[in-house]
Structures are given as structure tokens and as C-alpha cells.
Amino acid sequence: MAGTFYFQVVSPEGAVLDADVQFVALPATEGELGILPRHTPLIASLKSGVIRYTVDDEVKKMAISGGFAEVEHNHVTVLAETAELADSIDMMRAEAAKTRAEKRLKDRVSNVDVARAEASLRRAISRLQARK
Ligand code: ATP
């Protein structure tokens, strides 16, 4: 279809999305990366965040927790550490993970792995943002 390109998201659990899209916005480590058809080829590293993509003029969202994107001619592939489509996100689970991580960071008992708690908090926040 004119004005679209192929967008594929893969996680260690398998293919999460295969779609013809009009636009994709990726949470790159350098800042948000917007991609339209015939974008210049590139490779970007991704952080935890929300991917927005447009299918048939409808904006959809998914959450990822880091990975890489490869942009080729009319073909964008994301290899994500974890990836969930908005509809498949369990809000209560993400809320619980957020509360748990916040408590660990607040209490700072001696054996808390701060980096791990921060990463968990970022994943939970991304899931909540993608779902709302
Ligand atoms: P939790 O503590 O709730 O397990 P987590 O951030 O530690 O959260 P991850 O290790 O990032 O979880 O993910 C483990 C698997 O569970 C992945 O397949 C991920 O896609 C899935 N997952 C995690 N949280 C959710 C959620 N809220 N809704 C749907 N799937 C989720």
C-alpha cells in the first residue's frame, strides 16, 4: 500500500507485531525517533518506553523495555527485551510492579539492587503509559 512500510517487533518470546504502518515513533536512547516511509537506513538503541504506530490512520501503542531498531528501506525491525501490545498489558500487574519498585527505592534496605529496582520501575511506568 502506498504510504506505508513494514513494521515488525520481536521479543525473546517471539513475534509481537507484524504490520503495515504509516508512522512509527520509537523510544530511542537519544530521544524519540519518528519514522515515515523511505526513512534513511539506521540502527538505534532503544530504552524502556512506549512505541506509537499508525495503522489505517489509527494510532496504537505498545510497551517495550529496551532493545534495538533497524531501519531499512521500507522495513523497520525492533528487537526488544520485552514487548507488549497495549491491549495485552495487565494494568494491575504493572501497578503492583511499580509499587514494589517504588517501595524498594524508598526503603533502600542494604541489599536492594537500586539499578534493578529503577529498571523495574521504568518497565512498569512504560506499561501503564502504553495501556492508558
Ligand atoms: P513483574 O514483576 O510483574 O513480573 P517485570 O517488569 O519484572 O514485571 P519482565 O521481566 O519485564 O516483568 O517481563 C516478564 C514477562 O512478563 C515478559 O514476557 C513481559 O512481556 C511480561 N509482562 C510483564 N509485565 C506485564 C504486564 N503488566 N502485562 C502483560 N505482560 C507483562
Side-chain angles (χ1 to χ4, degrees):
M1 201 196 305
T4 65
F5 57 98
Y6 182 55
F7 181 45
Q8 187 176 32
V9 180
V10 180
S11 81
E13 292 174 15
V16 180
L17 179 75
D18 281 294
D20 284 314
V21 302
Q22 295 157 299
F23 175 74
V24 173
L26 299 172
T29 42
E30 308 292 325
E32 190 170 74
L33 176 63
I35 301 165
L36 287 163
R38 293 176 294 283
H39 192 286
T40 313
L42 60 83
I43 290 181
S45 78
L46 306 176
K47 58 188 176 186
S48 281
V50 176
I51 295 180
R52 287 181 292 118
Y53 56 100
T54 310
V55 178
D56 293 334
D57 295 323
E58 191 185 340
V59 179
K60 297 170 181 273
K61 292 182 196 172
M62 63 189 300
I64 62 157
S65 61
F68 288 90
E70 183 180 32
V71 180
E72 294 174 307
H73 184 67
N74 279 346
H75 190 154
V76 176
T77 308
V78 166
L79 305 175
E81 287 165 26
T82 63
E84 304 93 33
L85 300 176
D87 287 347
S88 70
I89 292 170
D90 178 339
M91 287 283 269
M92 298 227 321
R93 178 173 168 183
E95 288 283 7
K98 178 170 176 278
T99 303
R100 216 163 40 237
E102 284 171 341
K103 185 167 177 355
R104 287 195 179 114
L105 291 169
K106 182 164 157 282
D107 296 350
R108 297 269 171 138
V109 289
S110 58
N111 60 346
V112 164
D113 181 337
V114 172
R116 185 174 161 189
E118 286 173 345
S120 170
L121 181 59
R122 283 193 295 272
R123 289 196 298 274
I125 289 171
S126 301
R127 287 170 180 140
L128 295 171
Q129 285 175 340
R131 188 72 170 91
K132 69 176 182 211

